[in-house]
Amino acid sequence: MPLSRSLSMTSLSGVLPAWEEDELPVEDLLLFEVAWEVTNKVGGIYTVIQTKAKITVDEWGENYYMMGPYFEHNFKTQVEGCEPPNPAIRKAMDALNNNGCQVHFGRWLIEGSPFVILFDIGSAAWNLDRWKGDLWETCKIGLPYHDREANDSLILGSLIAWFFKELTDQLGDKPNVIGHFHEWQAGPGIILSRSRKIPMATIFTTHATLLGRYLCAGNADFYNNLDKFNIDKEAGERQIYHRYCLERAAVHCAHVFTTVSQITAVEASHMLHRKPDVVTPNGLNVKKFSAMHEFQNLHSTSKARIQEFVRGHFYGHLDFNLEKTLFFFIAGRYEFSNKGADIFIESLSRLNYLLRVHRKDITVVVFFIMPAKTNNFNVESLKGQAVRKQLWDTAHTVKEKFGKKLYDALLKGLIPDMISILDQDDFTIMKRAIYATQRHSLPPVTTHNMLDDSTDPILSNIRRIGLFNSRNDRVKIIFHPEFLSSTSPLLPMDYEDFVRGCNLGVFPSYYEPWGYTPGECTVMGIPSVTTNLSGFGCFMEEHVSDPAAYGVYIVDRRSRSPEESCNQLTQFMFTFCQQSLRQRVIQRNRTERLSDLLDWKYLGRVCFCCTTPSIDSIQFILYSPISQITNYPQRALQSASDTSREEAELIRCNGEM
């Protein structure tokens, strides 16, 4: 049964061909995916289009193209320039180039190697005033001169609409062009294409409504007042009314409107006044291992690297057992309340109390990976890693001498004592190394020098709860205000390796239209905490009967007060800390099994349905309910106590937490 669709400017009758088979005739279609983040990493949409590229290329082949802005550095480092295989696309590009607007073509060097068409905004900026006039005449939306992002989006949209006009003119009577536009920055492209009656099918996807993000960042009681907001007034007070108008106009101009989760669909219905035609959940490229223990071994390897960093960071205060230390983390865009950092910090204070009273043998090291304004690495943090390396080198030097003397003694049939193996110089070297680890200050909470130290929300709340990495604290905090990189002199790990080495990801978001961070944890077999206000959390509640048994803990932030949600989060983390090594290994196996739910191989079928022409009488776009497409059952999952023979064998082989 097709979903009901809301009205848009025109129908698709005559735009796309009808056919009798269920298969999509991609050989007769050209699919263009438009986003500001094509080859341009800004946020989560980059992950969406990058991970979806391979399965889309497999389905569409050389009939699939991505479109976005041109940035010279990104093009030189991520794109292999080449000529378009389609002569109509070549001629459309030439038309723009001959009029002084530069267009670049190539293959994006990611999995799938999709074609990309990139438009140089700077080369076309001289048309801005004229295109602002066109936008005003078309839909009475004016853009202020000082909003560069909005002006750039108009230039990009105008170039894209121009390109589609030239392309459809070249293709003639049967253009069969589909344009899939992401987020408000791509909005002008769809608005201008529809107003100029370019014969093409259009899809618009919002990953989060613009006004919704602003309202939640301002601590509004968003979900309980969705139907009460004066939308125009709220957008105007935040000086984003013109952006909101672009977003809303794009939504209503699209033939098909989609969003990434059910909770965002409800939000869009109120904020943008159109109900999404279909929900297209975000997926990931899941790499399955041939043997179950392989991802567990990766966890052990990455965890050992994190332990080395912790040894250096806490030098002089390393009085806790690293084998009984758990690593938690939160990561993402620095939106303090939207990402749930406020409730997380408060729950850490309560967890610290519970561990000090009930489990003094367990230590939790918590990483905050959120980019903030800094000017350099913290001297104490760098010194800690230098001290650790010096101790390591000293231990290896003494070990080599110790080993040689021990070997000689054993050859002679003697059991040597310490005095005969280690001379006075060795003792002196070791004592100097020990004295070098003495520290008169507490280990730093942050790894960098913060520009706004006194007003930073995370640091201010850490001061409020008093978690300063003292010896008595069972919860230690490390704030790393920079994205992780394998080239860092401090914590040389890529994000993926870091996630694999942690024990639990905590993402108690208040506003999270989808939520890639817990999804990434799931496909790597790492348990995570999410909420029922995130698209990911709602998705798991819908498709898994007992998410907690499979390592996905869902905090109720919809029907509970902040205090109750904080207590629930604290209880989730405390329960996790009480698990044995055996239970954690079993849970990681269970978590990794959920990865198929998030694989683009399955979720991609939902996206393809948006580009499938209709075979019913009105010849609209065909889109089926998600349950019919993905067929995810409400599975009767095993209880946490059930253990397979494979898991039991793995536990005997695996000695790491």
Side-chain angles (χ1 to χ4, degrees), residues 328-331 339-340 343-344 347 503-509 512 514-519 521-522 526-532 534 536-537 540 547-548 550-557 565-566 568-576 587 591:
F328 296 180
F329 80 99
I330 182 173
K339 297 299 183 183
I343 188 177
F344 185 33
S347 65
N503 299 99
L504 182 70
V506 186
F507 315 102
S509 304
E512 191 70 80
W514 176 247
Y516 256 121
T517 42
C521 287
T522 300
I526 302 301
S528 62
V529 178
T530 183
T531 73
N532 58 1
S534 73
F536 174 82
M540 285 299 173
Y550 275 62
V552 179
Y553 300 93
I554 301 175
V555 176
D556 184 359
R557 298 201 65 179
S565 299
C566 186
Q568 186 183 23
L569 175 57
T570 304
Q571 190 58 47
F572 280 155
M573 294 191 294
F574 183 61
T575 302
F576 186 86
Q587 190 177 59
T591 303

Side-chain angles (χ1 to χ4, degrees), residues 16-17 19 21-29 31 59-60 178 607-614 622:
L16 294 176
W19 74 99
E21 302 296 329
D22 290 333
E23 293 296 321
L24 181 67
V26 295
E27 66 276 2
D28 298 328
L29 302 171
L31 174 60
E59 180 82 9
W60 289 79
I178 302 173
C607 295
F608 293 151
C609 81
C610 292
T611 56
T612 306
S614 175
L622 172 66

Side-chain angles (χ1 to χ4, degrees), residues 100-150:
C101 301
Q102 298 179 20
V103 186
H104 302 264
F105 189 91
R107 283 191 180 272
W108 191 3
L109 300 179
I110 58 174
E111 198 170 4
S113 300
F115 289 125
V116 291
I117 304 172
L118 304 177
F119 299 87
D120 190 337
I121 293 173
S123 68
W126 55 277
N127 292 294
L128 179 59
D129 289 340
R130 177 166 61 87
W131 286 339
K132 279 187 176 183
D134 292 344
L135 183 67
W136 177 258
E137 291 297 324
T138 299
C139 54
K140 296 299 185 288
I141 298 176
L143 303 184
Y145 73 91
H146 56 77
D147 189 346
R148 179 170 180 176
E149 190 174 5

